[in-house]
Amino acid sequence: KAKAPSDTAVVTPPTRDKATLKTLPSGKDPESRKLRRLMRNRLSAQASRDRRKKAIEDAQRSTAMKEAEIQHLEKTLGEETRRMLLLERAVGFARDYLGRERYAKVAKGKVSCSRASGGGSQGKSG
């Protein structure tokens, strides 16, 4: 059974605002209901695409920020590793210069560094 074309069944291109729904026919006939459903579906689909696009943009922005942070942390790690190696080297020189026994006392805090390099008594006087 063929349907007769109706004056209210003009299909308009989808828009992004809900004002379009107000301009649709408000009749209860099947064709009007179908047209309203079609427009609601189009608006819903567009809103879904917009949300997905925003989510992707947010994820890309977040990824870029995290990559920049990773680069910064890798640079900091390299600098700290270099400092640690320099300190380990200085500790090695101090150990070689003072000798292991005297170095151990200095490292434990039993002898101050100024006494360690000079002579003098190492015990506490009482």
Side-chain angles (χ1 to χ4, degrees):
K1 188 174 184 181
K3 293 183 181 179
S6 169
D7 294 329
T8 59
V10 176
V11 177
T12 57
T15 61
R16 293 183 183 208
D17 57 23
K18 292 188 178 185
T20 304
L21 292 176
K22 293 179 182 177
T23 63
L24 292 177
S26 59
K28 295 193 184 268
D29 60 290
E31 197 168 323
S32 296
R33 291 173 62 179
K34 181 179 179 181
L35 185 58
R36 282 196 306 273
R37 187 182 72 241
L38 177 68
M39 291 306 295
R40 281 194 310 266
N41 185 283
R42 287 180 181 174
L43 289 171
S44 177
Q46 185 61 50
S48 176
R49 286 189 294 270
D50 292 344
R51 284 191 305 270
R52 185 178 54 216
K53 182 179 177 183
K54 184 183 180 311
I56 290 170
E57 289 170 352
D58 290 347
Q60 288 172 338
R61 192 173 15 263
S62 177
T63 300
M65 288 174 55
K66 289 177 190 223
E67 286 174 352
E69 183 181 7
I70 288 169
Q71 286 181 341
H72 172 72
L73 291 172
E74 286 175 343
K75 180 182 176 186
T76 302
L77 177 63
E79 292 169 355
E80 293 300 321
T81 301
R82 185 180 55 78
R83 285 186 193 130
M84 183 188 69
L85 292 174
L86 289 173
L87 286 172
E88 285 178 349
R89 204 163 141 197
V91 167
F93 287 142
R95 187 181 308 121
D96 292 346
Y97 178 76
L98 295 173
R100 290 198 180 271
E101 199 172 301
R102 190 168 227 168
Y103 171 79
K105 289 179 183 178
V106 171
K108 289 181 181 178
K110 294 187 177 185
V111 177
S112 69
C113 291
S114 60
R115 283 195 211 159
S117 60
S121 71
Q122 294 177 9
K124 293 183 180 178
S125 58

